[in-house]
Amino acid sequence: MSAVQPVRGTHDLIGEQQRRHAHVIEAARRVADRYGFEEWTTPIFENTAVFARSLGDTSDVVSKEMYTFTDRGGDSLTLRPEGTAAVCRALITNGLTQSLPQKVFYAGPMFRYERPQKGRYRQFHQIGAELIGPGEPLADAEAITMGRDVLAALGVADEVTLELNTLGDLASRAEWRAALVCYFSDYRERLSEDSQLRLERNPLRILDSKAPEDRLIANSAPALDLFLNDESRRFWDELRRGLDAFGVNYTINPRIVRGLDYYSHTAFEFVTTRLGSQGTVLAGGRYDGLVAEMGGPQTPAIGWAGGVERLAMLLDEPPPVVAPIAVIPLGSEAECMAIHLLNQLRSAGLRAEMAYRGNLKKRMERANRIGASHVVILGEIELTRGIVQLRDLSNGRQQEIKPENVVEVLCQVERAEQQV
RNA sequence: GCGGACGUAGCUCAGCUGGUUAGAGCGCCGGUUUGUGGUACCGGAGGUCGCGGGUUCGAGCCCCGUCUUCCGCCCCA
């Protein structure tokens, strides 16, 4: 394998890719801020136990899909495969279980040893939000609404639909699970090979199996609805009332499940049909059991994570680039003046660049290539006359103005453009 | 982990049943006189045909292996 080849499933973010990526994160950050969420940055690796414990030691995921390694001190470390467990660990180690609620936003790289596909990479990026402390269904509704607002801010709200389900509380869920195992066991022989395995490890997943032979059986499986206790039913009703109040549209999809036991009540996914089989763009749920499972006090929590790569692909238009102003001096005396002008333009908050070499033609070409909106030309002639040439590259109009007016004129132009 | 498809210049691709120095468009660089970009014209650079084996007088093209990307499945914390 060549040394200049990137590692399988990793990719460089350059140019438009990087701009799309940054745009997604910045939009999410702004929305999170409006909701009163604070950004946390946790390490990209943790003691393996942080993730192993949150996932259950027997899980396939732990052994097959985590980037785990032993460091020089002999400790087992793991590149984080998701954000929630790390945030919960940070909550506990910083003693913040004493000051709830915590409203946390995060963004950063995650790592999973998976077979790459479009929208599925070994190093990928997520934005996420965790609302830790409140156990009320309105908290779920608000968290979901915040996710919707992120999608709306990105202009992709019309591309996705919100699919919603409840898993019931821990007791309801356990009863339902037992009933499913019982039901599916009767049809064991007729289930797909994969689902026969799922029956042992993760029976809920049979419900969203894609195998045709499973579909008929799964569609007639006992519904959770039959097992919801009063408490769970009340929660589910209030969640939907809350979403209605927040003005969030959704469809109920009983096939949305979560494998792990600490999940309860709310499960949701914003999905699109535009990304093939990696159509889930932002998803989450309630995990009232996780903080306790990690050694903290019993703490209710709801959260979600969104895939930055998938969202970036969904953006129709790449984020616009701010057109710079090109300053073109001719001659060393003019260069001094140009540098002064550059400082002024940048101090005024404008994007300004200067080319170091080439004749006027070359520098004009370069100005055009970097997408400059205007060019300021100052050479010997201009110096002696005490003016500069200001050329609008969009229409070729060129005017002579005094150097001291350049910043003001260009600021006015920018203000005018922002209003359009 | 399983099944399948692709892999030729920076990018998008062509290359007929294996036959001499591998092509196009876009992009890039230079030029169309000396201080004016974008459109036009002329010219130029740039390719281990993913990599490694094999068959053949001869392989971009056939065979085997391998890697990447992509499409399903598994998984989806």
Side-chain angles (χ1 to χ4, degrees):
Chain A
M1 194 181 298
S2 166
V4 294
Q5 199 167 38
V7 171
R8 180 178 206 193
T10 67
H11 54 165
D12 303 306
L13 294 172
I14 294 174
E16 185 186 322
Q17 287 284 111
Q18 169 63 24
R19 269 179 272 127
R20 285 173 175 264
H21 213 84
H23 178 71
V24 169
I25 293 169
E26 281 157 20
R29 206 170 257 149
R30 275 195 298 274
V31 172
D33 183 66
R34 289 210 299 268
Y35 276 78
F37 280 59
E38 245 181 64
E39 184 161 355
W40 287 14
T41 300
T42 65
I44 60 167
F45 58 96
E46 298 274 352
N47 286 312
T48 299
V50 168
F51 304 112
R53 190 185 293 184
S54 71
L55 293 168
D57 297 311
T58 54
S59 165
D60 252 26
V61 171
V62 172
S63 51
K64 284 162 77 172
E65 299 195 19
M66 296 201 317
Y67 273 97
T68 297
F69 59 97
T70 305
D71 76 359
R72 293 174 192 225
D75 294 320
S76 178
L77 305 178
T78 295
L79 299 181
R80 65 181 182 195
E82 55 118 6
T84 304
V87 166
C88 289
R89 191 235 82 217
L91 179 91
I92 296 168
T93 52
N94 288 280
L96 296 172
T97 50
Q98 299 292 318
S99 42
L100 299 176
Q102 290 291 329
K103 301 161 84 170
V104 183
F105 172 80
Y106 64 84
M110 307 290 164
F111 306 83
R112 296 181 188 178
Y113 191 87
E114 295 188 290
R115 186 136 182 173
Q117 257 178 65
K118 188 196 289 296
R120 163 178 270 199
Y121 308 102
R122 290 186 170 181
Q123 177 175 344
F124 61 105
H125 299 78
Q126 284 188 331
I127 49 173
E130 315 291 353
L131 180 40
I132 306 169
E136 290 77 10
L138 267 187
D140 304 49
E142 187 173 16
I144 293 172
T145 305
M146 179 172 151
R148 192 275 316 267
D149 282 358
V150 169
L151 299 172
L154 292 170
V156 302
D158 294 340
E159 314 282 353
V160 301
T161 55
L162 168 58
E163 305 196 339
L164 183 70
N165 194 23
T166 183
L167 305 169
D169 65 9
L170 296 178
S172 302
R173 184 198 160 109
E175 269 188 62
W176 179 45
R177 185 192 151 111
L180 283 176
V181 171
C182 183
Y183 169 82
F184 283 125
S185 294
D186 289 345
Y187 296 96
R188 171 182 280 276
E189 301 307 318
R190 285 169 51 194
L191 287 171
S192 68
E193 210 174 305
D194 283 331
S195 285
Q196 294 188 20
L197 277 171
R198 281 191 272 242
L199 188 50
E200 313 287 334
R201 294 186 205 159
N202 197 352
L204 268 57
R205 285 281 171 199
I206 301 177
L207 292 172
D208 63 351
S209 167
K210 287 169 189 161
E213 63 264 44
D214 293 340
R215 289 300 347 137
L216 254 175
I217 304 173
N219 287 342
S220 308
L224 168 65
D225 209 46
L226 304 170
F227 301 91
L228 284 182
N229 56 27
D230 290 348
E231 163 61 19
S232 300
R233 204 173 293 282
R234 190 190 57 78
F235 194 101
W236 178 226
D237 290 342
E238 275 184 37
L239 167 63
R240 285 174 296 164
R241 257 206 302 284
L243 285 174
D244 291 341
F246 275 108
V248 176
N249 297 319
Y250 57 86
T251 60
I252 293 172
N253 181 355
R255 287 166 66 183
I256 291 184
V257 295
R258 294 284 183 269
L260 300 168
D261 287 337
Y262 54 75
Y263 285 104
S264 55
H265 295 298
T266 314
F268 66 94
E269 299 184 358
F270 286 91
V271 298
T272 176
T273 53
R274 276 182 39 190
L275 297 177
S277 52
Q278 275 70 240
T280 302
V281 128
L282 188 152
R286 180 162 277 282
Y287 50 95
D288 288 349
L290 179 56
V291 174
E293 197 153 320
M294 292 182 71
Q298 169 60 40
T299 309
I302 166 91
W304 53 255
V308 177
E309 281 79 1
R310 294 179 189 182
L311 289 167
M313 281 190 285
L314 224 47
L315 300 177
D316 284 321
E317 295 295 323
V321 203
V322 177
I325 293 146
V327 178
I328 302 183
L330 295 166
S332 56
E333 221 175 306
E335 236 163 37
C336 249
M337 178 99 187
I339 288 165
H340 181 62
L341 196 56
L342 270 180
N343 281 338
Q344 285 185 316
L345 289 166
R346 290 168 178 163
S347 299
L350 297 171
R351 175 176 295 183
E353 294 183 60
M354 179 174 83
Y356 298 109
R357 65 199 299 184
N359 55 24
L360 180 55
K361 184 181 166 64
K362 284 282 161 262
R363 296 194 198 200
M364 286 294 288
E365 280 174 4
R366 181 171 162 70
N368 193 61
R369 188 149 20 96
I370 64 174
S373 62
H374 293 79
V375 176
V376 179
I377 303 166
L378 60 163
E380 313 289 332
I381 302 166
E382 285 75 16
L383 274 186
T384 54
R385 292 183 50 205
I387 52 119
V388 300
Q389 304 285 348
L390 177 63
R391 186 180 178 87
D392 184 337
L393 286 186
S394 64
N395 55 21
R397 278 177 39 212
Q398 187 164 314
Q399 54 176 320
E400 301 183 350
I401 62 174
K402 291 184 176 168
E404 58 267 31
N405 292 336
V406 171
V407 172
E408 198 195 322
V409 169
L410 287 170
C411 281
Q412 272 171 11
V413 170
E414 177 166 279
R415 275 198 296 275
E417 271 169 10
Q418 276 173 351
Q419 284 175 359
V420 174

